[in-house]
């Protein structure tokens, strides 16, 4: 099972890519585990502010990841 | 909330021209129940940061989510205020200082709601829509804009 993580703004600068596909297994099957993995891969995420959307909705709580989920890491908004 | 109003595309590539804004106003002359329009224009400001001056902002967005956010904001405004129509346009890509990056246009039979509605819309857009701005300095270095 694979899911896509999208990066925007300063976060795409940190990861040096706009998106990345991850294989999901029991070690990486929740949003919290994914966030932890991303913060290990990209330690600079720990020092910036960002929010997380799953399938275009903001989530505060942990969830089980499902096939075709789309996660997005969103830095502070700057519209207008 | 659902209505039969179609989802619109909000993003425009590059700056929003005076001509586009003028045409948009002209198109409303046939809607004679309208008695009041109000317009907000966001312009890119030449801020100075650490001795350097901004020359342009390069906008990007999580477009699918942003269009959904714009749709929800529009629906909320229609539910809250007695508006005849509403248009929101935001730039993507590079917009130079002095150019327009946001155009919000509301129309109603009477004037009071258009003042309230425009403020509501602009504040909601700044807070809730996943748009990102790279502030490019005159020397081509950059920083990331944050709404305050």
């Amino acid at each position: 099972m694979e899911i896509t993580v999208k990066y925007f703004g300063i976060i795409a600068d940190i990861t040096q890519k706009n998106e990345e596909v991850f294989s999901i297994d029991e070690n990486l099957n929740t949003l919290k585990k994914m966030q932890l993995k991303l913060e290990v891969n990209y330690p600079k995420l720990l020092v910036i502010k960002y929010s997380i959307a799953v399938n275009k909705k903001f989530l505060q709580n942990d969830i089980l990841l499902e096939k075709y989920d789309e996660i997005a890491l969103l830095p502070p908004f700057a519209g207008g | 909330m659902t209505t039969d109003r179609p989802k619109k595309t909000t993003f425009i590539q590059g700056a929003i021209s005076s001509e586009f804004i003028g045409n948009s106003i002209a198109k409303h002359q046939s809607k004679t129940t309208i008695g009041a329009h109000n317009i907000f224009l966001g312009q890119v400001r030449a801020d100075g940061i650490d001795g350097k001056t901004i020359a342009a902002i390069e906008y990007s967005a999580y477009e699918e989510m942003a269009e959904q956010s714009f749709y929800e904001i529009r629906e909320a405004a229609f539910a809250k205020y007695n508006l005849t129509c509403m248009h929101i346009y935001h730039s993507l890509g590079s917009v130079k200082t002095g150019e327009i990056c946001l155009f919000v246009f509301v129309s109603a039979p009477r004037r009071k709601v258009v003042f309230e509605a425009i403020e509501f819309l602009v504040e909601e857009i700044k807070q809730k829509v996943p748009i990102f701005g790279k502030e490019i300095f005159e020397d081509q270095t950059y920083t990331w804009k944050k709404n305050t």
Side-chain angles (χ1 to χ4, degrees):
Chain A
M1 185 171 93
E2 292 182 331
I3 67 161
T4 303
V5 182
K6 293 192 166 205
Y7 307 119
F8 293 91
I10 193 173
I11 294 176
D13 276 2
I14 290 170
T15 61
Q16 294 288 299
K17 55 188 80 140
N18 294 321
E19 61 176 63
E20 195 166 3
V21 175
F22 289 88
S23 291
I24 300 305
D25 56 35
E26 63 274 15
N27 296 317
L28 191 65
N29 60 356
T30 69
L31 187 59
K32 280 278 167 271
K33 287 179 188 170
M34 177 60 82
Q35 190 176 2
L36 203 66
K37 182 178 179 65
L38 292 171
E39 287 176 350
V40 169
N41 290 0
Y42 308 110
K44 281 186 182 166
L45 290 176
L46 292 164
V47 296
I48 62 156
K49 265 182 89 171
Y50 69 96
S51 52
I52 298 181
V54 178
N55 301 329
K56 305 174 188 75
K57 299 272 176 214
F58 292 112
L59 283 187
Q60 307 287 338
N61 301 327
D62 200 14
I63 56 155
L64 274 174
L65 295 175
E66 292 176 42
K67 203 175 179 178
Y68 308 125
D69 275 350
E70 181 178 287
I71 298 176
L73 268 53
L74 306 172
F77 300 167
Chain B
M1 248 183 312
T2 55
T3 67
D4 54 2
R5 274 185 289 275
K7 287 197 184 182
K8 297 184 190 173
T9 304
T10 308
F11 289 114
I12 287 183
Q13 206 59 44
I16 301 168
S17 69
S18 310
E19 190 184 14
F20 181 88
I21 295 163
N23 286 340
S24 187
I25 297 167
K27 279 182 199 159
H28 289 74
Q29 289 173 348
S30 59
K31 297 188 179 184
T32 50
T33 59
I34 293 171
H37 297 298
N38 198 7
I39 284 173
F40 177 87
L41 300 174
Q43 174 168 301
V44 174
R45 191 175 50 232
D47 272 350
I49 301 174
D50 299 333
K52 295 193 281 189
T53 306
I54 290 170
I57 296 180
E58 195 178 299
Y59 286 104
S60 58
Y62 184 9
E63 286 188 56
E64 304 95 321
M65 185 175 174
E67 290 289 4
Q68 181 64 33
S69 308
F70 277 123
Y71 175 76
E72 287 166 11
I73 291 168
R74 269 196 202 97
E75 290 303 305
F78 272 122
K80 215 169 143 92
Y81 306 105
N82 178 27
L83 298 172
T84 311
C85 58
M86 175 185 339
H87 303 273
I88 303 169
Y89 300 97
H90 197 292
S91 295
L92 280 183
S94 181
V95 183
K96 296 191 196 89
T97 51
E99 293 182 328
I100 302 299
C101 57
L102 171 64
F103 171 30
V104 185
F105 184 7
V106 294
S107 311
R110 294 180 174 276
R111 71 183 178 284
K112 283 208 168 141
V113 296
V114 298
F115 297 115
E116 292 171 26
I118 210 97
E119 184 170 14
F120 170 81
L121 285 166
V122 174
E123 295 304 317
E124 289 283 290
I125 292 165
K126 289 200 169 248
Q127 272 176 38
K128 294 189 177 169
V129 185
I131 295 172
F132 315 102
K134 195 191 243 189
E135 294 175 314
I136 320 262
F137 296 108
E138 285 159 344
D139 65 1
Q140 298 305 308
T141 58
Y142 67 88
T143 183
W144 289 95
K145 177 176 181 258
K146 286 177 201 170
N147 281 345
T148 48

